[in-house]
Amino acid sequence: MEFETTNPTQRRIRAGDRQLPHPPYRLPLLGDVWDLHVTDSSQWGMRGAQKYGGIYERDILGTRVTYVSDPDLLREINDDSLWAKFLGVPIRDLRKVAGDGLFTAHNSEPNWAKAHAVLAPSFTAAAMRGYHATMQACAAELVEYWSARPDEWVDVPADTNKVALEVIGRTAFGYEFQSFTRTEEHPVVTAMLRTLTYLNRAAYSHPLVEKTIFREQRAQHQRDVEFVNETIDDVIAHRMRTGTGGHGDLLDRMLTVPDPETGQLLDPTNVRHQILTFLTAGHETTAGVLAFALHYLSVHPEIADRARQEIATVSTGTDLAFDQVAKLRYVRRVVDETLRLWPTAPGYFRKARRDTMLGGRYPFERNEWVFIVLLQLHRHELWGGDPEAFDPDRFLPERIRGRHPELYRPFGVGMRACIGRQFAQHEMVLILATLLRSFELTPEPGYELRVKETITLKPEALRLRVSRRDG
Ligand code: MNH
């Protein structure tokens, strides 16, 4: 413990002393609320950083929201001993669905450490070997689905959502959504997407507004949450009835492996929370990256061809073996660069563990929080050149070396960083490579990338022509 106040030469840390750049025309009581964008809040956070700098704030009805995209300040903020995970508005609302699942648990909740210990072995690089065949089968279903549509403009984000949902459904709890054979969207998917959209929109709303103007939507939202919960509970109950073990999925692990620390199994409600966490955290983000990557590959045929050459060199067969995926260094750089421009989880929150003078200049009292604007961090001037240019070679080993360590954080950082990182990377490289080798990608004339936010990011209305190629 440090007691700054016992040092007479040091001034007390007071939030009131913190002066930060902010939008002009700040109003009494309302603050900067006129400058709030609810449907594109992350992109607006980025625009703000471009105007006001690497740390600035908006005062929303008396709540100070601090936006940080200065990598030097992140040396402190990303340090788990100084700042801790904070559940900011859209994430906190996710707790209504995902409860104390890994993503939405507070650091202090015992279920976080418990589930982390039980599940971590399922996410090591070695564990990926066990998921490879499933991921491949899902990729093959997408190839078949697109092969049957040579003369259509395929809805890219919808279809990458399908493939990522199949992957996570099967690897997490042995569930096939049959995304590629049903004509209507799976009702659980509809309910989950509506839930995310609702939570994203209602994030800055007021309960009274929700109960009046948005009464219908709110009722629908409650039905959606109930329906999703029941469906997952059925799957868990079915597994328990028909026998655990032998599935090699996350559900088996959660139902059979005790926490090494306490010797306890996860309780059934927590298991449901974890499944819901994996379904949401493990599918929207990955699907978004695949969709953005396909956009860039379609408008940069030279990059797509270079990737195809690499794929042909690594594998002459029709399928990519597990060990070959790690050899696709260029495809991996395409994924890395996509995540630089469009980190599909566009930021994260941290709160100060104790009173602190951030960067030696900005006083933050204990428990005050900041939002890390990944979209702007990933466009910081230290990247050099035109930050909007899509250039996978930014991730060449020699160019990564010497780079500021806090300049690239698409998977977060520290103890609360993404547990699914290796999973997502293996999945994304495998699926992209499979699609590149199977299809020519033609962009829609005149399409300009617009980005839609539903907590995660997606390219809006992205459609491509996909035609079979041999090899
Ligand atoms: Mn993922 C945490 C981004 C894929 C499961 N994920 C995080 C965080 C970021 C993130 C950022 C940290 C948030 C914070 O600090 O508040 N995740 C991604 C991205 C992709 C992704 C950009 C894909 C690309 N994530 C996945 C996949 C899974 C997954 C796939 C599961 C299979 N992520 C999680 C879980 C957490 C998390 C679980 C919470 C971990 C924890 O707090 O212990």
Side-chain angles (χ1 to χ4, degrees):
M1 271 307 264
E2 289 166 38
F3 294 93
E4 283 92 351
T5 43
T6 59
N7 180 346
T9 60
Q10 207 168 345
R11 273 180 49 220
R12 229 197 98 203
I13 304 265
R14 271 192 303 238
D17 294 337
R18 188 171 68 245
Q19 303 251 341
L20 289 175
H22 59 78
Y25 320 117
R26 185 169 270 184
L27 305 167
L29 298 175
L30 299 176
D32 308 315
V33 72
W34 62 271
D35 191 49
L36 186 69
H37 277 217
V38 290
T39 53
D40 59 352
S41 56
S42 286
Q43 291 167 89
W44 198 240
M46 167 175 87
R47 300 270 143 64
Q50 290 165 356
K51 265 194 242 164
Y52 310 119
I55 178 166
Y56 72 100
E57 70 175 16
R58 288 200 178 88
D59 175 330
I60 307 300
L61 307 167
T63 300
R64 296 171 80 179
V65 183
T66 309
Y67 298 82
V68 179
S69 56
D70 173 344
D72 285 330
L73 297 177
L74 291 179
R75 287 179 194 268
E76 289 173 50
I77 293 169
N78 286 345
D79 181 337
D80 278 328
S81 69
L82 303 174
W83 295 69
K85 169 144 173 160
F86 174 72
L87 301 177
V89 167
I91 314 289
R92 187 170 55 218
D93 294 341
L94 271 181
R95 273 180 74 91
K96 289 174 195 140
V97 188
D100 60 358
L102 276 175
F103 187 75
T104 43
H106 298 287
N107 274 352
S108 55
E109 284 176 305
N111 272 347
W112 179 79
K114 218 170 143 178
H116 183 81
V118 168
L119 285 166
S122 300
F123 288 101
T124 58
M128 295 311 123
R129 195 176 282 276
Y131 308 127
H132 179 76
T134 304
M135 291 178 177
Q136 210 165 30
C138 298
E141 285 182 27
L142 175 55
V143 169
E144 195 187 330
Y145 186 79
W146 277 2
S147 299
R149 289 163 175 74
D151 305 314
E152 288 174 30
W153 290 103
V154 298
D155 180 338
V156 176
D159 293 348
T160 56
N161 247 28
K162 289 187 182 114
V163 74
L165 182 70
E166 289 306 320
V167 168
I168 196 66
R170 295 179 203 185
T171 51
F173 57 115
Y175 189 83
E176 297 193 11
F177 288 90
Q178 282 153 353
S179 308
F180 293 112
T181 46
R182 58 176 65 244
T183 45
E184 302 280 303
E185 190 171 65
H186 194 293
V188 167
V189 178
T190 311
M192 280 191 341
L193 288 178
R194 211 158 40 205
T195 299
L196 289 180
T197 310
Y198 177 87
L199 292 176
N200 195 51
R201 191 215 23 93
Y204 297 96
S205 182
H206 188 278
L208 255 180
V209 176
E210 293 308 301
K211 281 181 193 155
T212 52
I213 301 170
F214 292 107
R215 190 171 31 123
E216 286 290 307
Q217 277 191 27
R218 182 169 172 271
Q220 177 69 58
H221 172 65
Q222 283 162 345
R223 283 198 301 276
D224 286 340
V225 171
E226 245 169 68
F227 171 65
V228 171
N229 283 349
E230 280 166 15
T231 310
I232 309 291
D233 284 345
D234 282 350
V235 173
I236 298 172
H238 180 259
R239 176 68 61 90
M240 285 163 73
R241 267 199 321 275
T242 56
T244 51
H247 300 268
D249 58 13
L250 301 180
L251 181 56
D252 258 6
R253 216 184 146 76
M254 289 190 281
L255 295 175
T256 56
V257 178
D259 167 26
E261 192 71 25
T262 60
Q264 296 166 344
L265 290 174
L266 302 181
D267 66 74
T269 309
N270 188 256
V271 172
R272 185 226 291 151
H273 287 154
Q274 305 301 356
I275 299 272
L276 277 165
T277 300
F278 289 121
L279 270 183
T280 40
H283 122 257
E284 285 272 299
T285 43
T286 311
V289 177
L290 288 173
F292 282 115
L294 288 165
H295 163 70
Y296 285 112
L297 290 165
S298 77
V299 294
H300 295 291
E302 73 291 354
I303 295 179
D305 283 336
R306 208 174 136 191
R308 287 190 187 104
Q309 274 162 29
E310 178 186 66
I311 298 160
T313 314
V314 165
S315 154
T316 47
T318 46
D319 278 337
L320 284 157
F322 175 77
D323 297 308
Q324 290 171 333
V325 174
K327 294 192 179 132
L328 299 173
R329 305 311 302 167
Y330 188 70
V331 179
R332 172 59 190 274
R333 293 207 289 280
V334 167
V335 168
D336 291 344
E337 174 68 344
T338 304
L339 270 166
R340 180 185 68 82
L341 279 168
W342 300 107
T344 48
Y348 54 90
F349 296 87
R350 287 294 183 270
K351 65 178 176 192
R353 285 187 184 272
R354 59 182 87 87
D355 291 0
T356 183
M357 194 61 92
L358 176 62
R361 288 179 61 189
Y362 308 107
F364 280 83
E365 291 180 23
R366 182 183 132 93
N367 286 337
E368 279 197 291
W369 53 272
V370 300
F371 177 71
I372 290 82
V373 190
L374 288 180
L375 286 176
Q376 184 55 25
L377 176 72
H378 291 177
R379 288 169 172 76
H380 191 274
E381 60 187 23
L382 286 177
W383 286 96
D386 174 8
E388 295 295 338
F390 185 80
D391 174 12
D393 285 340
R394 292 180 203 270
F395 289 88
L396 278 169
E398 60 266 29
R399 287 176 67 181
I400 292 176
R401 226 172 289 131
R403 197 171 67 193
H404 193 299
E406 306 302 337
L407 212 52
Y408 186 64
R409 292 292 186 200
F411 293 97
V413 66
M415 65 183 268
R416 299 303 298 271
C418 181
I419 201 173
R421 178 182 189 148
Q422 323 244 29
F423 184 100
Q425 282 165 338
H426 190 86
E427 175 184 2
M428 294 185 295
V429 171
L430 172 63
I431 293 175
L432 265 191
T434 306
L435 294 175
L436 275 170
R437 107 174 329 171
S438 309
F439 299 104
E440 291 302 334
L441 309 167
T442 309
E444 199 171 11
Y447 177 75
E448 275 188 46
L449 181 62
R450 285 186 314 279
V451 176
K452 185 177 158 76
E453 303 192 12
T454 52
I455 305 184
T456 63
L457 308 181
K458 285 275 161 61
E460 191 169 348
L462 171 65
R463 305 194 305 166
L464 296 177
R465 226 354 112 73
V466 288
S467 38
R468 276 305 294 224
R469 55 193 298 285
D470 311 310

